[in-house]
Amino acid sequence: MLTKIADLEDPDARELLGNVTVVSRLDAFLEEKNTPRLPRRGTFTASDLGSWDGNSFCGDYKVGCARKLWYRHRGEVEQRSNIAPTLRRRLDLGTAGHEMLDGYFEKIAEESGGSEEFVPEHQINPEDGTSEVAWEWGIIVRVDGVYSIHLSDPVHIRFCLEFKTETEQNFQKVLKKPKPEHVTQLMVGMACWDLPAGVLVYINLNSGAMVEHRVLFDQNHWNAVTEKMRYVRKYSINNIEPNREDGFHCKYCKYKWVCAPPSKKKRKVHTIRMPGGG
Ligand code: SF4
């Protein structure tokens, strides 16, 4: 027994501490989170749409790989992620940071005397009845917050807030402009909440520094997203697999196990073309 200070008198009890491992317990717990799961049939998510693994048909925007969107939309094969415990901890730290920031903004709004309103992180699901756009396209989307500020009577602005945590190295890359896939995610959020603007806030995980980018809703960008969703739905209904948009990003794909992208050492990123106005 090693439960009280007095137990330290017993040399055998002292040895018991050697059996205690905290990190490996946690690692095993976090490994379990990689359990395969079936996605919800007939849906898209903002994070899959706003992903670096694909492009819009016009080539101007980042919109997720059509094959990946198709797997999700069909809902027939499991998503198998392989996130190492170290990365999982980093991602969860990012999520915890977002909750902390949400708390700050809630407090700021509370103390504004009614001139500001902040609705912290919430999710829209197609069946909620809160968004016609989400219902029409089957979109599941979450934003970190919806902010409403009365600048002066009657000047009023509403926008969504999205936080992203980055390592020092990646933070340097977003100082001047946001990642294009994050702008697509924001565009999906704006379309579903009917918001004219959004702000992307990047947080440096190492230093706590922040940088913000303001984005206006862009109809052309949104059209590019809906064009790809329309294409995926058509292929889903007709049970035809879209071409892969394969590249180095496939390494991180939840559907790599079933898609089996070519394993050439140096793959080019392939962009699919919209077939005949499909
Ligand atoms: S493995 Fe690559 S090509 Fe296949 S679905 Fe995933 S991202 Fe697309």
Side-chain angles (χ1 to χ4, degrees), residues 174-188:
V174 295
L175 283 176
K176 292 216 169 104
K177 56 181 187 170
K179 289 186 181 173
E181 59 271 26
H182 292 163
V183 178
T184 300
Q185 287 177 19
L186 206 60
M187 219 49 74
V188 175

Side-chain angles (χ1 to χ4, degrees), residues 53-54 64-69 71 243-247 249-262 267:
D53 49 31
C65 167
R67 172 81 69 96
K68 188 179 86 174
L69 294 171
Y71 283 130
N243 288 337
R244 298 183 187 95
E245 295 183 69
D246 58 295
H249 51 255
C250 294
K251 185 176 167 196
Y252 306 99
C253 180
K254 298 170 280 201
Y255 299 105
K256 186 179 65 172
W257 68 276
V258 60
C259 175
R267 267 186 306 222

Side-chain angles (χ1 to χ4, degrees), residues 43-45 49 57 63-64 69 73 133-134 136-139 188 191-192 222-236 274 278:
T43 59
F44 296 100
T45 62
L49 290 166
F57 294 118
V63 184
L69 294 171
H73 201 265
V133 173
E136 179 187 354
W137 293 102
I139 296 174
V188 175
C192 290
W222 175 240
N223 288 348
V225 177
T226 56
E227 188 181 32
K228 197 143 191 186
M229 287 192 287
R230 195 173 291 115
Y231 168 87
V232 170
R233 285 219 289 216
K234 183 176 163 189
Y235 274 56
S236 182
M274 186 74 164

Side-chain angles (χ1 to χ4, degrees), residues 40 42-46 49 73 123-142 188-194 222 226 229 233:
R40 193 176 142 192
T43 59
F44 296 100
T45 62
L49 290 166
H73 201 265
Q123 180 168 306
I124 285 185
N125 298 300
E127 70 282 3
D128 289 347
T130 51
S131 166
E132 273 182 37
V133 173
W135 168 252
E136 179 187 354
W137 293 102
I139 296 174
I140 299 168
V141 55
R142 179 190 294 263
V188 175
M190 287 189 259
C192 290
W193 263 274
D194 186 18
W222 175 240
T226 56
M229 287 192 287
R233 285 219 289 216

